[in-house]
Amino acid sequence: MDADESCSLAPVENSRHWGEEKESDAVWGIFLKKVRYQRPSSIVQIVQARGNHSLGDKKVSSNGIDSDEPDDSGEIAHLMWETVRLKVLRAGSLKKVIEAIANDDTDIQATHLSVFLATYRTFASPAEVMNEIIKIYRGSTDEFLSKAMLDALNVWLDTYPEDFELGTEGFECLHKTVLPFAQDENLKSLLLKTQYKLRSRRKMKKAASVHSLRAYSPVCIKTYSLPTIPENHFAQQLTYCDKELFLNLRVWECLGGLWKRRCGCPTVAATVEQFNALSGRVVATILLDPAASIQSRAKTLDKWIRISQELRLLKNFSSLKAIVSGLESNPVFRLSKVWQLIAKDRLAIFSQLSQIFSEENNRMAQRTLLETEGTAKFPTPTKSPKEKRFLNRVLRSSQSTTKLFPAEIDTPNGTIPYLGTFLTDLTFIDSALPDRVHGDLINFEKRRKEFEILAQLKLLQGSAKGYRLEEDPYFTGWFSALVCLDDKSAYELSLSIQPERNVFKGHRKTDSFTSNSSSENIDSVHQRKQGSIPSSNESSILYGVTGSTGNSSGLSSNIPESTVVVKVSSPSKGDVLYKSMMVGNSDHTPRVLAQALEKLGLEDEDPRNYQLVQILPHKELKFPSNANVFYALDTSVPLGEIRLECRPIYHLTNNNNSISKHSTTSS
């Protein structure tokens, strides 16, 4: 992929892409930017004149310009704007990427450094970067470049101190590379600054551990049970926990190249663990008690919907998604007798809460909500009248809730996003764009795209500091002791509560922690999910695979259908990274092609002119013209990473690596 293909947006604000300059170890993007004209001062003009003439033999006019030279100051006096030429690195070797930190344009320099420090772990280790920076600093005769390298080290230390903690590769490298040059005053001050910061961090960690021991050693035991905890207090305690996890999140761990390998990402793993634990406990509280009546289970389910309302008001979309996923999991959602006891207005609110996480149009509802409320202090409805009515309904219902903790009510809040959307976006960018281009040069445009998403997370982290919540250690102890069921056990308990009438032995591709992207009513969704079979324990924060979003296959609504979420793209639609869509167990190649082209805005194209291809890590899979796509999919890749491409027929003539996989087509 060329650099042009990997960059659709100019990295320089208010600029126009002009072309490229290629070197042996770098590719530069050239941009033209209109800036306000700065007329040279008289001193500068005198210096310029001295370069061409001897001022001793000439008269200098009052404005400081050689009087023998034509005075064109009148011609440019009216000039307000000029166009400047800017160079932005698009790809390069590690040395060039680091040297590009030194840029005459301060905005480009700051942006490049931010992108580099946030994403360098995908193509280099801390030791490699540190050694290269010190090497450039020591070997450069350019004072501007040397100062830029020193500034980069200081910013690195201030922004990512975890890279230099005791025992890390960065810590060892910093001492090995900086200590030999301790006579250098700049490096010596950097070393002292490092040592001071490390001592401060160790003291903070020690104080936090002591506080934690005190918090979890209550002198008396406070009894808690789900029905007796006020919904607002329950939501606030979940938000407190999520806030701590989110503020401690190292956003660079979300990068697709790191997260996919599941290595060195403890803060992301902690968020995923909390999400799945909450979702599993939602399921357990409804199913676990064998002696509970249908009415008792309905009250528990209603309780969770009320807690979800409070989470929406607190703008905690992480726990909100976890609870919605638990309630929509197969073991709970199939209990139609329980759901029938829930009031209609409560069901309507739950349906609207579920719609926040709809897969429609690449999760547009969730993205719009974050854009509107991400940095707001209170929930703010969008311009949509439907959203305003829904938020008013939630507020009215919430006001009727018993408030036993008035000090915690009506305070400005931050925002905690559902991390899975960001992980999905970053994973797709990592899969769609190459790490190396033009031979073996680092694709820095890819890193800019990744940084745009990381910057959103950093902005939301700043917003999350707005929460003013205190931990209730008694609640934390009670909640941690709740049982968390696995998928198999949960489904067996669900069958014991409400046996299956018509068991449908379908394809095991549904996810127990899911979101329903349909706008249909709750009863029709129940009819569809009656025969769902639970998945293996692969459910995670990353991807949600749902039931069918409608009766699009032409089948009767009471016939269950297994589905899987796939990402579709096409070379014919280069401005769209991907769209998400559902593939059911009755969908064949022509239908999937038609739906995918419509999703991509290519509805006028003839599906017969396209070939459906599954993109795999080391090969491609071509689908026969009338294959059952659902059963023919290669499921060796994780759920949510299934990528299909609608490829024009003429593109296939040069593709000799694709293979065909035939499957039995169902009628």
Side-chain angles (χ1 to χ4, degrees):
M1 178 182 293
D2 293 336
D4 283 333
E5 297 175 355
S6 63
C7 179
S8 59
L9 297 175
V12 184
E13 188 177 0
N14 300 324
S15 64
R16 181 168 58 88
H17 183 245
W18 184 70
E20 276 189 354
E21 283 187 4
K22 294 184 179 180
E23 302 174 2
S24 60
D25 57 351
V27 177
W28 300 89
I30 308 301
F31 294 86
L32 301 180
K33 183 179 181 181
K34 187 170 73 171
V35 299
R36 188 172 293 278
Y37 176 73
Q38 300 290 336
R39 184 179 179 184
S41 65
S42 58
I43 296 177
V44 173
Q45 294 180 20
I46 291 174
V47 172
Q48 292 175 344
R50 284 175 176 172
N52 299 321
H53 304 282
S54 172
L55 292 180
D57 299 331
K58 304 291 180 181
K59 294 181 179 180
V60 179
S61 62
S62 59
N63 63 359
I65 303 179
D66 191 335
S67 61
D68 286 353
E69 293 294 317
D71 186 1
D72 59 351
S73 60
E75 298 179 9
I76 64 174
H78 65 282
L79 190 61
M80 296 183 62
W81 301 94
E82 66 176 332
T83 301
V84 296
R85 182 175 179 271
L86 302 174
K87 291 177 64 176
V88 177
L89 186 73
R90 306 186 75 169
S93 62
L94 179 60
K95 180 181 179 182
K96 279 292 183 182
V97 170
I98 294 176
E99 286 180 343
I101 294 172
N103 195 299
D104 294 332
D105 188 290
T106 54
D107 291 336
I108 296 178
Q109 179 175 347
T111 302
H112 184 94
L113 179 58
S114 299
V115 174
F116 174 75
L117 292 178
T119 62
Y120 80 86
R121 298 162 189 83
T122 58
F123 55 81
S125 66
E128 291 173 330
V129 173
M130 178 66 69
N131 287 327
E132 193 64 46
I133 290 177
I134 296 296
K135 182 179 178 181
I136 295 172
Y137 173 79
R138 298 292 301 177
S140 174
T141 57
D142 184 348
E143 184 178 349
F144 178 71
L145 179 60
S146 298
K147 184 178 182 301
M149 294 300 101
L150 190 63
D151 290 342
L153 285 174
N154 279 283
V155 173
W156 187 7
L157 178 63
D158 289 335
T159 313
Y160 299 97
E162 64 270 15
D163 288 351
F164 304 100
E165 289 181 344
L166 185 64
T168 63
E169 184 183 8
F171 178 85
E172 299 297 330
C173 182
L174 182 66
H175 282 70
K176 289 180 181 178
T177 54
V178 175
L179 279 176
F181 307 108
Q183 68 276 12
D184 187 313
E185 288 300 321
N186 290 326
L187 293 181
K188 185 176 181 180
S189 63
L190 178 68
L191 184 62
L192 293 174
K193 181 179 180 180
T194 304
Q195 293 171 342
Y196 172 77
K197 278 188 168 290
L198 291 174
R199 284 196 300 269
S200 300
R201 283 177 64 84
R202 284 195 289 269
K203 288 180 181 179
M204 289 175 62
K205 285 187 174 182
K206 186 176 180 180
S209 63
V210 172
H211 172 76
S212 178
L213 287 173
R214 290 173 180 171
Y216 288 99
S217 302
V219 295
C220 62
I221 298 176
K222 191 173 183 178
T223 304
Y224 268 132
S225 65
L226 182 61
T228 62
I229 304 175
E231 290 85 4
N232 63 322
H233 185 64
F234 202 118
Q236 288 156 8
Q237 291 306 304
L238 291 178
T239 302
Y240 176 85
C241 179
D242 290 336
K243 180 202 72 171
E244 294 298 311
L245 289 171
F246 186 52
L247 291 179
N248 289 325
L249 176 72
R250 299 172 179 175
V251 295
W252 54 265
E253 291 184 9
C254 300
L255 289 167
L258 301 176
W259 168 243
K260 281 198 305 184
R261 296 196 295 267
R262 305 293 197 273
C263 56
C265 303
T267 63
V268 175
T271 302
V272 174
E273 183 179 352
Q274 165 68 8
F275 178 94
N276 288 334
L278 174 56
S279 204
R281 284 163 182 156
V282 169
V283 175
T285 55
I286 297 172
L287 303 178
L288 198 58
D289 186 359
S293 63
I294 296 296
Q295 290 78 9
S296 175
R297 299 184 198 279
K299 287 181 180 179
T300 303
L301 197 154
D302 182 81
K303 181 80 171 182
W304 283 114
I305 296 177
R306 291 175 183 271
I307 294 171
S308 299
Q309 290 178 245
E310 297 294 336
L311 289 168
R312 170 66 184 91
L313 297 178
L314 288 168
K315 299 192 296 176
N316 181 354
F317 297 105
S318 181
S319 284
L320 175 58
K321 168 64 174 174
I323 293 177
V324 169
S325 298
L327 296 180
E328 289 188 337
S329 64
N330 289 329
V332 174
F333 210 81
R334 61 177 296 277
L335 300 177
S336 57
K337 293 180 181 179
V338 176
W339 285 93
Q340 287 169 2
L341 297 179
I342 305 298
K344 288 185 178 180
D345 61 338
R346 194 72 59 201
L347 287 177
I349 289 176
F350 175 72
S351 178
Q352 290 292 328
L353 292 172
S354 177
Q355 286 298 306
I356 294 174
F357 306 102
S358 167
E359 298 280 343
E360 294 285 334
N361 296 322
N362 193 19
R363 300 179 177 88
M364 182 57 67
Q366 184 184 166
R367 297 179 194 278
T368 303
L369 202 56
L370 280 180
E371 183 179 347
T372 305
E373 299 189 12
T375 55
K377 293 183 178 180
F378 299 98
T380 306
T382 63
K383 296 180 180 179
S384 167
K386 183 179 179 182
E387 172 65 19
K388 290 180 180 179
R389 289 194 300 270
F390 165 63
L391 191 57
N392 289 333
R393 180 189 292 174
V394 172
L395 287 169
R396 286 198 304 271
S397 178
S398 176
Q399 288 170 359
S400 64
T401 304
T402 304
K403 296 182 178 181
L404 301 181
F405 298 84
E408 298 176 345
I409 302 300
D410 299 330
T411 56
N413 296 317
T415 302
I416 299 175
Y418 168 52
L419 191 61
T421 301
F422 295 89
L423 294 175
T424 302
D425 291 346
L426 288 166
T427 299
F428 184 79
I429 290 175
D430 182 68
S431 302
L433 302 178
D435 291 327
R436 303 277 174 168
V437 292
H438 298 285
D440 195 37
L441 301 183
I442 298 167
N443 184 359
F444 205 69
E445 282 302 323
K446 175 178 179 177
R447 305 309 163 196
R448 284 194 179 91
K449 287 183 178 293
E450 292 175 326
F451 179 73
E452 289 176 7
I453 298 174
L454 298 184
Q456 295 175 35
L457 281 172
K458 292 292 287 184
L459 186 65
L460 291 170
Q461 281 183 322
S463 172
K465 295 177 181 178
Y467 285 108
R468 297 293 181 266
L469 302 171
E470 294 184 2
E471 183 184 15
D472 179 355
Y474 304 105
F475 174 90
T476 304
W478 168 81
F479 184 73
S480 300
L482 291 179
V483 176
C484 188
L485 294 175
D486 60 75
D487 287 351
K488 183 178 179 181
S489 300
Y491 196 72
E492 290 174 352
L493 286 171
S494 178
L495 287 175
S496 67
I497 297 168
Q498 182 174 315
E500 197 82 67
R501 290 185 179 180
N502 299 316
V503 179
F504 174 74
K505 297 184 178 180
H507 199 48
R508 296 170 66 90
K509 286 214 177 188
T510 55
D511 192 350
S512 61
F513 294 170
T514 67
S515 66
N516 175 40
S517 59
S518 167
S519 60
E520 57 195 336
N521 61 49
I522 213 83
D523 293 332
S524 64
V525 179
H526 274 306
Q527 290 177 348
R528 189 189 65 240
K529 287 207 173 185
Q530 283 292 322
S532 299
I533 296 177
S535 68
S536 58
N537 192 20
E538 293 178 339
S539 42
S540 73
I541 192 173
L542 256 180
Y543 309 109
V545 182
T546 73
S548 173
T549 58
N551 190 17
S552 58
S553 64
L555 299 175
S556 173
S557 62
N558 61 352
I559 297 179
E561 180 177 2
S562 297
T563 58
V564 64
V565 172
V566 300
K567 297 181 175 70
V568 293
S569 60
S570 175
S572 303
K573 197 69 173 175
D575 58 332
V576 177
L577 282 179
Y578 72 91
K579 292 285 187 181
S580 296
M581 61 173 281
M582 311 293 296
V583 174
N585 59 4
S586 60
D587 290 340
H588 291 67
T589 304
R591 176 174 179 75
V592 174
L593 277 171
Q595 289 181 330
L597 292 174
E598 183 179 357
K599 277 276 189 182
L600 295 168
L602 299 171
E603 57 272 3
D604 294 334
E605 295 285 337
D606 188 347
R608 291 174 295 183
N609 295 332
Y610 284 80
Q611 169 77 58
L612 190 64
V613 181
Q614 182 180 359
I615 307 299
L616 297 168
H618 303 294
K619 62 181 180 179
E620 293 180 347
L621 180 69
K622 285 197 305 182
F623 293 92
S625 58
N626 197 34
N628 185 310
V629 177
F630 184 82
Y631 293 102
L633 285 170
D634 187 327
T635 57
S636 61
V637 295
L639 288 176
E641 294 186 20
I642 299 176
R643 292 183 52 214
L644 299 181
E645 185 175 286
C646 303
R647 188 173 296 170
I649 298 296
Y650 64 84
H651 274 230
L652 298 175
T653 56
N654 296 326
N655 188 357
N656 298 322
N657 297 324
S658 59
I659 63 171
S660 295
K661 178 178 178 180
H662 298 273
S663 65
T664 303
T665 58
S666 61
S667 57

